[in-house]
């Protein structure tokens, strides 16, 4: 069964430093997609970055990069040069090609950026 | 470019009542998914609509039903409300790409409180 695990309930980072948010997943489907979303206190889920299971390169989007280690089934989000506005909940999510159209989410990690 | 919109923003109901939540997808998108996010948890998939049909459903009772209109907007209906239905309800839209690669874009959510 597909599953997403985020083991860090909360993380602190100093402004301008880099931070890594952990995500491990479990699936038997060889074709799947991994997503990271940011949820500020306003509630809206903001799409950050996508990684496909067959992608050879780690995905990058501006200050966000995804450290994809397929054999270890991990998809950690790296945020470089943290900003105060990065303080939010971050969710890792997955969709299996054979699982239809359902996306499953982890429990999330709350990131606090300190000035 | 209009993003995903949801109404109302907040809603307070009492147990046993019925509620209807509304969603308009992002411009160019014709697929709508609904998620329930309880406090402190990740979103849980309720169902997805495409071509005015429910094409996949998560583990939610029949009290949860939906509809999609010809203009791709969607409604989520919840009957016989329970205290446990209190949550943030998120709507997400996407392009009709089959498989694991389609990215979902979320609206700001409707916060439902059941008293």
């Amino acid at each position: 069964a597909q599953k997403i695990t985020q083991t860090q309930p909360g993380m602190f980072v100093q402004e301008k430093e880099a931070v890594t948010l952990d995500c491990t997943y479990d699936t038997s489907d060889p074709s799947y997609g991994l997503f990271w979303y940011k949820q500020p206190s306003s509630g809206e889920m903001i799409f950050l970055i996508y990684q496909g299971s067959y992608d050879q390169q780690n995905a990058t989007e501006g200050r966000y990069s995804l450290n994809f280690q397929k054999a270890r089934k991990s998809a950690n989000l790296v945020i470089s040069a943290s900003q105060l506005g990065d303080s939010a909940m971050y969710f890792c999510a997955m969709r299996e090609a054979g699982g239809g159209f359902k996306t499953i989410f982890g429990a999330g990690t709350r990131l606090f950026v300190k000035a | 470019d209009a993003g995903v919109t949801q109404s109302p923003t907040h809603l307070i109901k009492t147990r046993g009542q019925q509620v209807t939540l509304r969603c308009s997808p992002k411009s160019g998108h014709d697929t709508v998914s609904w998620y329930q996010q309880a406090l402190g948890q990740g979103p849980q998939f309720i169902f997805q609509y495409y071509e005015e049909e429910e094409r996949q459903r998560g583990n939610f009772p029949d009290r949860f039903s939906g509809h999609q209109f010809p203009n791709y907007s969607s409604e989520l209906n919840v009957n016989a409300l329970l205290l446990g239905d209190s949550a943030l309800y998120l709507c997400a839209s996407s392009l009709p790409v089959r498989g694991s690669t389609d990215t979902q874009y979320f609206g700001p959510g409707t916060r439902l409180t059941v008293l």
Side-chain angles (χ1 to χ4, degrees), chain A residues 10 14 23 48 51 60 62 65-66 73 84-85 87 95 105:
Chain A
Q14 196 68 38
C23 172
L48 296 178
Q51 179 84 43
T60 60
S65 60
L66 201 152
K73 293 189 175 178
L84 295 178
S87 294
R95 182 180 311 115
F105 288 78

Side-chain angles (χ1 to χ4, degrees), chain A residues 37 39 50 95 99 101-102, chain B residues 37 48 56 100-102 104:
Chain A
Y37 286 88
Q39 188 176 42
Y50 164 81
R95 182 180 311 115
F101 310 99
K102 177 176 65 175
Chain B
Q37 186 179 17
Q48 184 179 90
Q56 189 171 5
S100 60
T101 62
D102 58 315
Q104 295 184 324

Side-chain angles (χ1 to χ4, degrees), chain B residues 32 65 104:
Chain B
V32 173
S65 63
Q104 295 184 324

Side-chain angles (χ1 to χ4, degrees), chain A residues 79-90:
Chain A
I79 306 175
S80 62
S82 296
Q83 302 171 357
L84 295 178
D86 293 335
S87 294
M89 281 292 289
Y90 288 81

Side-chain angles (χ1 to χ4, degrees), chain A residues 35 37 44-45 47 95 101 103, chain B residues 1-6 23-35 45 47-50 55 68 71-74 90-97 101-108:
Chain A
F35 305 82
Y37 286 88
E44 183 173 353
M45 299 282 279
F47 166 71
R95 182 180 311 115
F101 310 99
T103 300
Chain B
D1 181 20
V4 181
T5 60
Q6 293 186 243
C23 171
S24 291
K26 182 178 169 66
S27 179
H29 288 183
D30 56 8
T31 302
V32 173
S33 302
W34 286 93
Y35 292 81
F45 176 78
F47 41 53
Q48 184 179 90
Y49 276 83
Y50 171 65
R55 66 175 178 178
Q68 186 178 36
N71 67 353
Y72 309 127
S73 67
S74 177
L90 294 163
C91 169
S93 74
S94 57
L95 294 168
V97 176
T101 62
D102 58 315
T103 297
Q104 295 184 324
Y105 293 86
F106 285 79

